Amino acid sequence: MRVQDASNSFNSHLKVEVNASKISGGFAESLKAEENNIKKTSKDTFAYKTGRTQSRFSGTMRERFKQMEQINSETDWRALSDTEKVKLLVDRYRDAFSEFDLVMSGLYDAYIPSYVEIGTHYVNEGKKYLARGGEAPLQSRFEDCYREAYYGTCTDDELRIKIMDKYKGSNSMENKFLMVDEMRKCGLRKNGELRILSSIEMQIFSQVENTNKMALYGTNMSISQHPRFLEMFMAYAKGTGEGKSYTPNWTQIIGEAKNMLNSDASDYELMSEEMDDFLDEILKH
């Protein structure tokens, strides 16, 4: 989960003073319209829909990187509130890369180099403009800004329900991985939930490995060296293709996450109980 680690590092830098930047150049007109749209909705919940109509970004990944760098450099970040800054940056990357949430979750970045590149580019652009030493550093925590931008104001319990409802359409491991990661991005997580992410990833890997044990026997090949490994890993994660008939055993997944805890730690009982609570929430949704 290298991208997620980098994102955590980026988020931890987002604070302190504000500097200035100016709008100029090719994207200026559409940029102003975008920022005006944000300003009109910023006093509510920031829940307006950007839609997946015609994206302003096109071409190869690196061409999109250049377009992103240009439009970011033309933005008057200082004119925006902290919440507006975070929403503007995240929305742009979601517009440019349809898999952006999967990219930033870190589920596939060990196997898809382009995901690492996209995540790294996002982190670097965020640091350039919003982190300490950037052009317009956030005064608030990134997580608080993200939460307000996409969910408005609500209690932690209400937010957990909102996020679980958002991801209740599928019982796939990828879906639940994204759900836990969304809670992380909102700064809303219970102790031990990051271990659940690791446990989900390990469970997917184990399913692929167990399915192919006979085929690998005597080849001295690890499952990750199999030419179809990524395809199979994604199939089991998404519950499609050859992974369609697989039903995740969430009790087992949470149990494996518990095994990662230090049973001698003073907070072991609390973390174990919170994992049980999370299991109950998953089973209800």
Side-chain angles (χ1 to χ4, degrees):
M1 294 187 283
R2 288 171 293 174
V3 166
Q4 191 183 94
D5 292 341
S7 180
N8 288 338
S9 172
F10 159 44
N11 296 349
S12 70
H13 284 80
L14 302 184
K15 292 206 187 255
V16 232
E17 332 160 15
V18 178
N19 297 317
S21 63
K22 295 182 180 180
I23 296 178
S24 62
F27 286 104
E29 186 173 340
S30 61
L31 175 61
K32 288 177 181 176
E34 176 184 16
E35 290 175 351
N36 286 336
N37 188 30
I38 287 180
K39 287 181 180 299
K40 288 176 184 176
T41 58
S42 63
K43 293 180 181 178
D44 297 315
T45 65
F46 284 78
Y48 75 95
K49 295 182 179 180
T50 56
R52 287 295 300 177
T53 53
Q54 185 65 39
S55 172
R56 79 182 67 196
F57 302 97
S58 61
T60 66
M61 178 180 68
R62 286 181 175 76
E63 287 171 341
R64 290 170 188 243
F65 285 166
K66 290 181 180 177
Q67 293 161 18
M68 184 71 72
E69 290 163 12
Q70 181 178 347
I71 194 171
N72 285 341
S73 70
E74 293 168 347
T75 300
D76 186 0
W77 294 99
R78 189 178 181 181
L80 304 175
S81 71
D82 281 356
T83 301
E84 290 168 342
K85 293 171 192 173
V86 168
K87 189 174 194 311
L88 188 59
L89 185 66
V90 173
D91 278 354
R92 283 177 180 171
Y93 275 88
R94 283 176 172 163
D95 184 31
F97 305 102
S98 61
E99 297 289 285
F100 182 66
D101 286 331
L102 270 178
V103 168
M104 297 310 298
S105 76
L107 178 57
Y108 300 117
D109 65 1
Y111 316 111
I112 307 180
S114 63
Y115 278 19
V116 178
E117 290 189 65
I118 293 170
T120 301
H121 192 272
Y122 162 77
V123 169
N124 289 339
E125 284 293 286
K127 285 181 177 179
K128 186 188 301 182
Y129 297 104
L130 307 185
R132 183 181 296 113
E135 291 193 17
L138 299 180
Q139 306 297 313
S140 306
R141 291 197 320 151
F142 177 93
E143 292 85 351
D144 294 337
C145 297
Y146 182 93
R147 175 173 173 162
E148 180 184 354
Y150 295 100
Y151 297 96
T153 56
C154 57
T155 66
D156 286 355
D157 288 342
E158 289 170 339
L159 180 56
R160 288 186 75 86
I161 291 172
K162 284 185 178 183
I163 293 175
M164 289 198 163
D165 284 344
K166 177 180 177 180
Y167 290 95
K168 69 180 180 181
S170 167
N171 189 44
S172 73
M173 287 186 279
E174 178 187 277
N175 182 276
K176 297 301 187 257
F177 196 97
L178 285 170
M179 181 180 73
V180 178
D181 187 60
E182 184 74 358
M183 292 179 184
R184 176 190 67 81
K185 285 188 285 194
C186 291
L188 179 70
R189 60 174 179 263
K190 295 180 179 178
N191 290 326
E193 285 186 347
L194 294 184
R195 288 177 175 83
I196 294 173
L197 294 180
S198 296
S199 183
I200 292 173
E201 191 172 355
M202 289 168 56
Q203 184 74 7
I204 299 168
F205 190 96
S206 295
Q207 287 301 315
V208 176
E209 187 173 48
N210 292 336
T211 302
N212 291 274
K213 270 185 177 179
M214 293 301 295
L216 294 176
Y217 184 75
T219 65
N220 293 321
M221 179 190 295
S222 68
I223 186 58
S224 59
Q225 293 173 317
H226 192 290
R228 291 186 58 248
F229 172 75
L230 177 58
E231 179 185 340
M232 294 185 291
F233 186 92
M234 296 184 80
Y236 275 96
K238 295 175 182 293
T240 59
E242 55 204 284
K244 189 173 183 179
S245 61
Y246 172 69
T247 301
N249 184 334
W250 290 106
T251 301
Q252 179 182 355
I253 291 170
I254 300 303
E256 291 296 330
K258 284 185 180 181
N259 289 338
M260 299 178 194
L261 301 175
N262 179 0
S263 59
D264 295 326
S266 59
D267 60 351
Y268 174 78
E269 290 299 329
L270 174 61
M271 295 180 76
S272 182
E273 287 175 7
E274 289 185 341
M275 284 190 182
D276 286 335
D277 290 343
F278 184 74
L279 174 60
D280 289 340
E281 289 174 332
I282 284 183
L283 296 178
K284 288 176 184 176
H285 288 75

